[in-house]
Amino acid sequence: METVILAVVIALVVLGALGGLIVGSRRRKPLPPPPPAAPDITAPPAEPHVGDEAETPRDEPRRTIEEVDLPGGSAPVAVEEPPVIEAPEIEIPEPTAGRLVRLRARLSRSQNALGKGLLTLLSREHLDDETWEEIEDTLLTADVGVQPTQELVERLRERVKVLGTRTPQELRGLLRDELLGLVGTDFDRTVKTEPEDRKPGIVMVVGVNGTGKTTTTGKLARVLVADGRTVVLGAADTFRAAAADQLQTWGERVGAYTVRGPEAGDPASVAFDAVKEGKEMGVDVVLIDTAGRLHTKTGLMDELGKVKRVVEKHAPLDEVLLVLDATTGQNGLVQARVFAEVVDITGIVLTKLDGTAKGGIVVAVQRELGVPVKLVGLGEGADDLAPFEPEAFVDALIGD
């Protein structure tokens, strides 16, 4: 009997433990969600195209760009137009007639030491040998040259002896006559730019570095334009980087066209093209600016001769102007001799005659080359290049 009761108690305990396990597991497992309600069926959204927003387009009122208000405080963006490059204004050069006379005061300020020195010596009561030596030294110091100085002193001694008494006015007239004879009044100093049988006239400008050759070419263009000529410039100085730009600037100021080539290009080719362009345009004159050659460099001098030969395939040169710095004195004569051997110099341009130059260089270089001084530069101004006039030059030397 006791065994039955014990079996019943064990069975009840086992059943209670199983019931507790089942209830605990039910508490830990979530209940399944209720079945969803039936969804509303709508049309699928439209797929966006290129440039559309990635959302369903909505019907909204549309406004034009004129109706849209811009935010306050912001100015409209202005589109800048490219700047307009205006052509340089064409200048009207000063007339060349009598230009040296107008520049006489400037010339006399630096040159009349020669004339006044001679007048002072000649005014002495007794002209002994020592005084004549001083006169000779004065002329040599002024770069007149040995041979011209000896000739002038000899003539002065003879005329003073014949004259006897000497008033200041008589001495001035005597000295003026002798200096005019020394400078020369019988040279043809016209710059040849008008050949009779063709156009254009061709002028080549030569000289060493630093004499003002490119500037002189530009100023000569102004002289020709002032006299009513049309001009083409040839920038055959291809060795100096700024030479072509400098010459073109001079040309633009007076309306002259400039032919130029590549830097370090063939100068003869540029010169040839300049003459060709001048013929096609029908201008009166072609001015060719050559490189500033060092007269000691044979190769460069030979190339200058090549430029001359190439240009003459079009037509003969009408002028070959040698530009000399008047302040170099006797060294300028050495340069002149070398250039004369390479090209046939037809005229001299003396620059910087208003500085420390002595007026006697005019006599010396003419005597050396047998060609006249045709132009002189008397300053840095654009119109300070003047045709050489012997009377005005001598009057500036001896003063009033």
Side-chain angles (χ1 to χ4, degrees):
M1 185 67 181
E2 291 177 357
T3 303
V4 173
I5 294 171
L6 180 62
V8 171
V9 171
I10 292 172
L12 290 173
V13 172
V14 171
L15 289 173
L18 291 173
L21 290 175
I22 293 171
V23 173
S25 64
R26 285 183 178 179
R27 288 179 180 176
R28 287 192 296 269
K29 291 183 180 180
L31 296 175
D40 296 332
I41 299 175
T42 58
E47 294 184 1
H49 299 284
V50 176
D52 292 342
E53 297 292 340
E55 64 176 347
T56 304
R58 294 170 293 179
D59 292 333
E60 293 182 352
R62 302 299 180 100
R63 293 182 294 171
T64 63
I65 190 170
E66 290 81 3
E67 296 173 337
V68 177
D69 295 330
L70 294 176
S74 60
V77 179
V79 179
E80 296 184 1
E81 296 183 358
V84 179
I85 300 176
E86 297 182 357
E89 183 179 353
I90 304 299
E91 299 179 7
I92 301 176
E94 180 183 353
T96 59
R99 186 180 286 189
L100 185 58
V101 176
R102 294 193 296 274
L103 299 174
R104 175 181 164 184
R106 184 181 306 168
L107 178 63
S108 63
R109 281 197 297 270
S110 59
Q111 299 301 319
N112 61 14
L114 168 62
K116 286 185 176 181
L118 291 175
L119 284 173
T120 300
L121 292 171
L122 290 171
S123 299
R124 291 181 180 177
E125 186 175 352
H126 299 289
L127 296 178
D128 53 15
D129 290 340
E130 184 176 345
T131 301
W132 286 112
E133 287 181 3
E134 290 183 45
I135 292 173
E136 188 171 322
D137 290 342
T138 301
L139 290 167
L140 290 173
T141 304
D143 291 329
V144 173
V146 176
Q147 186 65 31
T149 293
Q150 292 175 347
E151 294 175 6
L152 179 59
V153 169
E154 187 174 332
R155 287 198 302 269
L156 284 173
R157 294 187 73 159
E158 183 177 348
R159 292 192 62 179
V160 167
K161 185 183 297 185
V162 172
L163 185 63
T165 58
R166 306 178 304 276
T167 65
Q169 195 63 29
E170 287 173 334
L171 283 175
R172 188 181 184 282
L174 181 151
L175 186 58
R176 185 180 188 276
D177 291 343
E178 293 300 328
L179 287 175
L180 270 177
L182 204 60
V183 171
T185 57
D186 54 350
F187 281 114
D188 182 5
R189 302 182 187 275
T190 306
V191 179
K192 300 293 189 299
T193 56
E194 294 182 287
E196 296 180 357
D197 55 344
R198 58 179 168 80
K199 266 189 175 185
I202 307 172
V203 179
M204 187 165 74
V205 183
V206 301
V208 301
N209 293 313
T211 58
K213 180 177 45 54
T214 299
T215 299
T216 297
T217 306
K219 290 183 178 182
L220 179 56
R222 294 180 66 89
V223 169
L224 295 171
V225 170
D227 290 340
R229 316 281 179 79
T230 53
V231 179
V232 162
L233 298 172
D237 184 354
T238 60
F239 293 96
R240 188 163 61 91
D245 293 336
Q246 182 183 357
L247 189 64
Q248 184 169 350
T249 299
W250 278 104
E252 289 174 348
R253 292 168 68 178
V254 293
Y257 179 67
T258 302
V259 176
R260 53 188 297 176
E263 186 176 340
D266 182 14
S269 175
V270 176
F272 183 87
D273 290 342
V275 178
K276 179 182 177 183
E277 192 73 24
K279 293 175 70 174
E280 293 176 354
M281 294 175 65
V283 300
D284 298 316
V285 186
V286 174
L287 297 179
I288 301 171
D289 176 36
T290 59
R293 315 290 172 161
L294 293 176
H295 65 280
T296 56
K297 295 189 176 181
T298 306
L300 293 178
M301 295 300 293
D302 290 343
E303 187 164 316
L304 182 60
K306 175 187 173 185
V307 172
K308 179 177 182 292
R309 293 191 300 272
V310 168
V311 168
E312 288 180 333
K313 291 182 179 180
H314 280 297
L317 285 167
D318 298 288
E319 285 278 8
V320 179
L321 298 176
L322 173 62
V323 180
L324 292 177
D325 183 341
T327 63
T328 59
Q330 295 299 311
N331 186 48
L333 299 183
V334 177
Q335 299 171 9
R337 281 194 292 268
V338 177
F339 276 96
E341 294 172 1
V342 179
V343 289
D344 297 325
I345 304 298
T346 60
I348 305 295
V349 182
L350 283 177
T351 62
K352 307 177 187 179
L353 200 58
D354 62 325
T356 59
K358 285 72 170 191
I361 190 64
V362 173
V363 176
V365 72
Q366 289 184 155
R367 185 69 65 92
E368 179 68 32
L369 297 183
V371 297
V373 173
K374 294 192 172 185
L375 298 162
V376 290
L378 298 172
E380 299 297 329
D383 292 318
D384 287 343
L385 184 70
F388 183 74
E389 301 169 19
E391 292 82 1
F393 178 73
V394 170
D395 287 342
L397 284 182
I398 62 178
D400 295 328

